[in-house]
Amino acid sequence: MNYDWIIGLKSELFTTLIIVVLLLIKLGKGMRNGSLLQITQLLLLVNLALAFGWNGNGYLFGNMFQASQLFGFEKAILIAGVYLLILVNHQWLEKQEHLPEFLVLMLSALLGMQTMISSGNFLMLYLSLELATIPVAAMANFDLDKKRSSEAAMKMILSSALSSGILLMGISLLYGATGTISFEALPQALKADNGLHLLSLVMIFAAFAFKLSAVPFHLWTADVYEGSPMPVTAFLSVVSKGAVAFVLTSTFYRAFQPMFETWYQLLAIIGLITIIIGNLFAIRQDNIKRMLAFSSIAQVGFVLIGISANSPAGLASVIYFVLIYVFSNIAAFGVAAVIAAQTGSEQISDYKGLYANNKLLTWIMALALFSLAGIPPTAGFFGKFFLLTAGAVRADFWLVIIAALNMMVSLYYYLRVVRNMFNTETAQPTIAIPVTVKLGLYLCVAGILITGIAGWIYDYIAMLNR
Amino acid sequence: MIGLEHILFISTALFFLGIYGFLTRRNLITMLMSVELVLNSVNLNFIAFHKYLWPSGMDGVFFTVFVIAIAAAEAAVAIAIIINLYKTHRSILVDTAEELKY
């Protein structure tokens, strides 16, 4: 009897185990929310440790599922993201009446993302993409009696249903043109100058661009982010986006490799437009969630430029960037969640005078925003630097120059938040930070600083990629 | 004799009818039905390609079965969300849900 499949599937199996445990607790006598959260955190930590060790390379279920060290690391980033998210949003989660359901939905989406990363076949990709999307729409509706929440969920489920319809049309045309949907067999069958192949590439990319909220397909993002509860917004913008970025690399680098010339142009142009539009719209936002939504659109543009490099360096820089992005964005959302829990406001203009009595919160937010903007001592600078270096390999320097200029534009709206917080004209009362939230924020800060300073992290990712 | 072209014609027409319906209708249930049209056109495509072009592999048939199952799951969640939207807005027209914009 061969037990290799357990090693290949260990992250997925363990996530399923957590889901089953939560369901059993829900079916049984139930539990206080505090202890339920502690159990989930503990199990997620075990899962994270498992994801780092014993990673084998191999194929399972007739090439449907691929396990490798690199995929193991990508899954570890996602699990760490969910763990930090639960820590940082402790206040909101603890108040929920239906906490077990919320956690089950969130972990199901995580399970979908893990299988999505490992998928070696478009059937598997489609199934896991849906598993990663449908629960998130249900999560967006979790503030059941709020108008905004149900509007956000409606917008999300309808537009994601249409986008998966377009993805399916692309896959069906690909199947008709080549007779295969497996990532292994597609490179031999695809031709760069075949019209049907091009059409299916564009349709599949459109669906990915929708999930990533790249520009022509970004309109749902800000509305859904603003209407959803804060943990869901953070989950959508951090974990879900990171997962789709990973899948985009593995799909394009493997299945669509022969059409490289075409998708290079596609990614470069869409990436550039995404950065510009994301930045321009972020400037005029006053709601912190909406501002972070447009900022995440702009960040996705940088990721697309990194992916367009089509090199091992491109892949490594994308993974490195997502790792930093997880830390910085969760720290920003965490501080926003603490402030919203206390003052009930999500407006940037209400952050005035926060520094007077909340020095810790202000500094964490400032650090997170500096990292998102890409200012040198923080990790965000190195993330963007590697992405742009990888993108510059093709010698399209105008691309890199416009992207770099846009980093300056982005400074305006990030620093506006910081300036508001350091405003000395007014002073806000002290905001209490619970211990768990503090722990989560400290972990994020440590992540932002250490991933930037420790060069071996990037080397480690590049080594896994070999 | 019905050939591949006939079926592809039907499925393409269904696909664009679905997209058209999704973009023009104001009722959420009708929009959901339009999405189902899109998914069904894809099913037709898969079966037709399997029958006429690639009868040796089973990829197309399997894909269709999974698409039907997922479409049901998606519709279940979407209808739950629409029912809740009716509770909060007292209407299932998209125009009434316009609080979030710009």
Side-chain angles (χ1 to χ4, degrees):
Chain A
M1 181 80 191
N2 187 355
Y3 291 106
D4 280 351
W5 62 275
I6 296 186
I7 301 217
L9 271 172
K10 63 186 163 29
S11 287
E12 288 79 7
L13 287 176
F14 204 86
T15 312
T16 319
L17 182 78
I18 307 177
I19 294 174
V20 173
V21 167
L22 285 172
L23 283 175
L24 286 179
I25 290 175
K26 167 75 185 166
L27 282 177
K29 267 191 287 182
M31 199 182 265
R32 280 193 315 108
N33 277 351
S35 20
L36 195 69
L37 281 173
Q38 274 170 0
I39 291 180
T40 319
Q41 284 161 13
L42 191 71
L43 288 174
L44 276 174
L45 270 187
V46 176
N47 199 353
L48 184 62
L50 275 177
F52 271 115
W54 306 295
N55 274 315
N57 295 316
Y59 297 92
L60 292 169
F61 313 127
N63 284 1
M64 280 268 184
F65 187 94
Q66 303 188 348
S68 80
Q69 295 208 319
L70 190 71
F71 292 158
F73 187 75
E74 292 176 351
K75 288 172 197 169
I77 294 178
L78 299 185
I79 298 168
V82 172
Y83 172 72
L84 288 174
L85 238 157
I86 291 180
L87 278 184
V88 161
N89 288 294
H90 202 270
Q91 276 171 309
W92 187 88
L93 290 171
E94 215 170 17
K95 271 188 255 155
Q96 294 306 305
E97 194 187 341
H98 300 290
L99 180 64
E101 285 92 333
F102 186 83
L103 292 175
V104 165
L105 286 173
M106 188 144 98
L107 292 169
S108 318
L110 176 67
L111 178 66
M113 286 160 198
Q114 287 171 334
T115 45
M116 183 159 74
I117 286 172
S118 278
S119 55
N121 188 308
F122 272 113
L123 175 55
M124 190 75 185
L125 181 79
Y126 168 66
L127 287 178
S128 14
L129 196 70
E130 291 296 317
L131 182 56
T133 315
I134 296 177
V136 182
M139 278 157 70
N141 207 348
F142 226 74
D143 279 340
L144 279 177
D145 43 357
K146 280 201 184 133
K147 274 181 131 181
R148 293 170 160 245
S149 183
S150 56
E151 185 181 335
M154 179 272 285
K155 281 179 175 162
M156 170 144 193
I157 189 82
L158 282 181
S159 40
S160 83
L162 186 70
S163 92
S164 62
I166 292 170
L167 170 75
L168 281 173
M169 198 63 192
I171 298 175
S172 80
L173 292 180
L174 199 64
Y175 174 66
T178 63
T180 178
I181 46 172
S182 118
F183 290 179
E184 290 300 303
L186 271 172
Q188 286 99 48
L190 283 172
K191 285 187 194 63
D193 53 352
N194 185 318
L196 202 51
H197 298 179
L198 279 179
L199 184 60
S200 56
L201 169 73
V202 169
M203 282 183 145
I204 290 170
F205 177 72
F208 278 126
F210 169 82
K211 306 279 176 203
L212 275 172
S213 59
V215 148
F217 312 98
H218 67 293
L219 289 164
W220 62 282
T221 318
D223 290 358
V224 172
Y225 280 26
E226 190 188 346
S228 312
M230 195 71 93
V232 184
T233 313
F235 186 82
L236 262 173
S237 96
V238 179
V239 186
S240 151
K241 240 170 223 186
V244 180
F246 293 149
V247 178
L248 192 61
T249 54
S250 64
T251 317
F252 274 19
Y253 283 14
R254 283 186 295 164
F256 286 113
Q257 190 58 48
M259 308 176 79
F260 160 62
E261 291 293 336
T262 313
W263 62 251
Y264 165 71
Q265 292 170 4
L266 196 66
L267 285 180
I269 293 169
I270 298 264
L272 214 54
I273 301 174
T274 306
I275 296 175
I276 295 170
I277 302 265
N279 275 336
L280 288 184
F281 276 81
I283 287 176
R284 50 186 287 226
Q285 304 303 330
D286 192 43
N287 183 302
I288 182 92
K289 275 169 159 177
R290 260 184 120 76
M291 191 279 274
L292 285 172
F294 281 107
S295 105
S296 82
I297 293 176
Q299 311 276 0
V300 160
F302 285 97
V303 171
L304 289 182
I305 286 181
I307 296 176
S308 78
N310 190 28
S311 61
L315 181 51
S317 66
V318 168
I319 296 172
Y320 183 65
F321 182 79
V322 171
L323 177 66
I324 297 160
Y325 178 71
V326 164
F327 288 128
S328 336
N329 228 0
I330 289 185
F333 273 114
V335 174
V338 172
I339 296 173
Q342 188 90 359
T343 64
S345 170
E346 288 168 358
Q347 303 301 317
I348 296 172
S349 43
D350 291 348
Y351 284 11
K352 272 202 179 106
L354 209 65
Y355 180 69
N357 291 316
N358 305 288
K359 301 216 162 34
L360 178 70
L361 273 185
T362 321
W363 280 114
I364 293 174
M365 187 66 150
L367 190 70
L369 292 178
F370 280 146
S371 177
L372 285 173
I375 291 179
T378 56
F381 168 73
F382 298 101
K384 288 221 173 93
F385 177 70
F386 286 135
L387 279 180
L388 291 183
T389 322
V393 163
R394 306 263 308 162
D396 274 340
F397 291 113
W398 55 271
L399 186 81
V400 180
I401 290 169
I402 298 177
L405 286 178
N406 264 286
M407 283 168 72
M408 261 173 263
V409 177
S410 73
L411 270 179
Y412 170 76
Y413 56 83
Y414 289 125
L415 290 186
R416 198 159 61 94
V417 182
V418 178
R419 194 199 65 186
N420 264 337
M421 294 198 308
F422 281 95
N423 189 324
T424 47
E425 286 158 21
T426 50
Q428 298 220 4
T430 314
I431 293 173
I433 317 172
V435 186
T436 8
V437 179
K438 218 177 234 176
L439 174 68
L441 291 176
Y442 281 145
L443 283 176
C444 288
V445 168
I448 294 172
L449 293 175
I450 291 171
T451 26
I453 294 163
W456 57 268
I457 294 179
Y458 182 79
D459 292 339
Y460 176 69
I461 297 170
M463 185 269 290
L464 287 179
N465 189 15
R466 210 161 287 141
Chain B
M1 178 66 193
I2 295 176
L4 179 61
E5 298 82 7
H6 299 84
I7 299 179
L8 287 187
F9 179 79
I10 295 280
S11 77
T12 315
L14 267 183
F15 180 78
F16 284 107
L17 276 177
I19 303 265
Y20 176 78
F22 186 84
L23 296 178
T24 52
R25 295 287 147 174
R26 288 285 156 261
N27 187 312
L28 286 171
I29 302 282
T30 326
M31 287 170 81
L32 197 62
M33 282 157 61
S34 312
V35 173
E36 299 292 319
L37 275 190
V38 172
L39 296 181
N40 283 330
S41 81
V42 172
N43 286 344
L44 267 183
N45 249 358
F46 269 117
I47 294 294
F49 284 138
H50 166 73
K51 172 115 173 39
Y52 288 97
L53 293 180
W54 316 99
S56 54
M58 291 298 279
D59 287 339
V61 183
F62 283 140
F63 220 116
T64 310
V65 174
F66 280 110
V67 171
I68 293 171
I70 298 269
E74 203 156 36
V77 174
I79 287 176
I81 287 173
I82 293 173
I83 290 174
N84 194 58
L85 188 97
Y86 182 73
K87 277 187 191 152
T88 50
H89 289 72
R90 307 309 299 172
S91 159
I92 52 165
L93 300 181
V94 270
D95 312 357
T96 53
E98 49 162 22
E99 203 175 326
L100 306 166
K101 47 182 157 185
Y102 312 122

